[in-house]
Amino acid sequence: MAQRTTRRPLIGVTAGTRAMMTGAWAGHDAVVVTEHYVRAVRDAGARPVILAPQDDWSDEEISELDGLVLTGGTDLDPAAWGEDALATDMTPDPERDAFETALYRAARRTDVPVLGICRGLQIIVIAEGGALHRHLPTDLPAHPTTGERPTAVEAAIDADSDLALALGTRAEVTAFHHQGVAEVAGELRVVARHESSLPLAVEAVGGSSVLAVQWHPEIDGADGAAVFGSLLTAIRHRAESAPAPSLV
């Protein structure tokens, strides 16, 4: 008798594009995501599916995924929410912004759990109608400079949150960002902050599961693994609450 196997959850992991610098394909765009995300998803017990911005996904296709990770990257294009570029902005990628925003909205419509990381958190906040600090610490002088290199910061986490179930109410995390959340809207609530008052994590208050963090759990060891574990927990809860198939 053949051994029965259990399918690993399929988790979409978003990628960007970057021009190759050397070799025969120098100057051609490559689909790029750091290996840390792929490893973190695998270590959590899931199978990563790389999602490239050149390829739109329908709601039906998104619903075939078990989860979605919106990864880190460059600044969002401020034109998307009616603001002008600043000299401190990184070069935006409007194609990727539109792609990831559409993925997030499709995941919400189809009840697919989402984990947003750094830029991914900002995509979620803007998609829900929120606002960003455009340059830290200029916009929030009490916040440390975290845009030059990965920097350890402490997050104070609401006890009444899914994030606290994974990390407790305080955690040292690795931040690498110069923009951050100024205001949340829609179906989001802030569940972690830095002592400067900058929101460091948000969760959805209704609908499908959303957890987004303004740090990089993919490089944060055991605590980072616990954040990815929260996504797997949300996936299991979704599967357990799904209606049983009809027998007629």
Side-chain angles (χ1 to χ4, degrees):
M1 179 181 295
Q3 183 176 2
R4 185 175 180 179
T5 60
T6 301
R7 179 179 75 84
R8 285 183 287 168
L10 299 178
I11 296 181
V13 179
T14 59
T17 56
R18 184 174 301 168
M20 298 183 71
M21 303 297 292
T22 60
W25 300 105
H28 293 263
D29 281 347
V31 173
V32 177
V33 62
T34 63
E35 182 268 349
H36 300 291
Y37 295 104
V38 174
R39 183 186 297 273
V41 168
R42 285 177 175 163
D43 287 350
R47 181 182 291 278
V49 179
I50 305 303
L51 308 182
Q54 297 89 343
D55 187 20
D56 292 336
W57 283 57
S58 68
D59 283 16
E60 181 180 5
E61 291 167 334
I62 287 293
S63 68
E64 293 176 355
L65 296 173
D66 298 296
L68 175 66
V69 176
L70 300 175
T71 60
T74 193
D75 293 342
L76 277 59
D77 183 1
W81 65 92
E83 294 188 11
D84 295 327
L86 300 177
T88 53
D89 288 349
M90 299 167 67
T91 302
D93 186 347
E95 179 186 33
R96 183 179 174 190
D97 292 352
F99 172 69
E100 290 186 323
T101 299
L103 286 178
Y104 171 70
R105 289 175 173 158
R108 291 287 276 160
R109 288 192 297 268
T110 57
D111 197 33
V112 173
V114 178
L115 171 61
I117 295 174
C118 198
R119 168 193 157 90
L121 174 144
Q122 294 168 15
I123 283 282
I124 290 168
V125 166
I126 292 298
E128 294 277 358
L132 300 180
H133 290 297
R134 299 283 299 282
H135 191 54
L136 298 168
T138 301
D139 292 353
L140 193 63
H143 192 70
T145 299
T146 54
E148 296 177 356
R149 62 188 63 84
T151 303
V153 300
E154 188 166 281
I157 302 169
D158 286 358
D160 182 22
S161 67
D162 291 338
L163 185 60
L165 293 176
L167 297 181
T169 57
R170 303 198 76 83
E172 185 174 272
V173 299
T174 302
F176 189 23
H177 61 94
H178 80 109
Q179 297 191 337
V181 177
E183 179 182 344
V184 298
E187 292 192 299
L188 300 178
R189 72 180 181 109
V190 175
V191 297
R193 292 184 185 271
H194 182 261
E195 64 182 359
S196 64
S197 81
L198 184 78
L200 290 181
V202 300
E203 293 179 358
V205 297
S208 59
S209 173
V210 176
L211 168 62
V213 298
Q214 189 62 76
W215 68 80
H216 286 273
E218 76 279 8
I219 59 172
D220 256 351
D223 279 353
V227 173
F228 281 88
S230 290
L231 177 61
L232 271 291
T233 298
I235 289 170
R236 286 193 296 271
H237 288 170
R238 178 197 182 208
E240 290 166 359
S241 62
S246 174
L247 298 179
V248 296

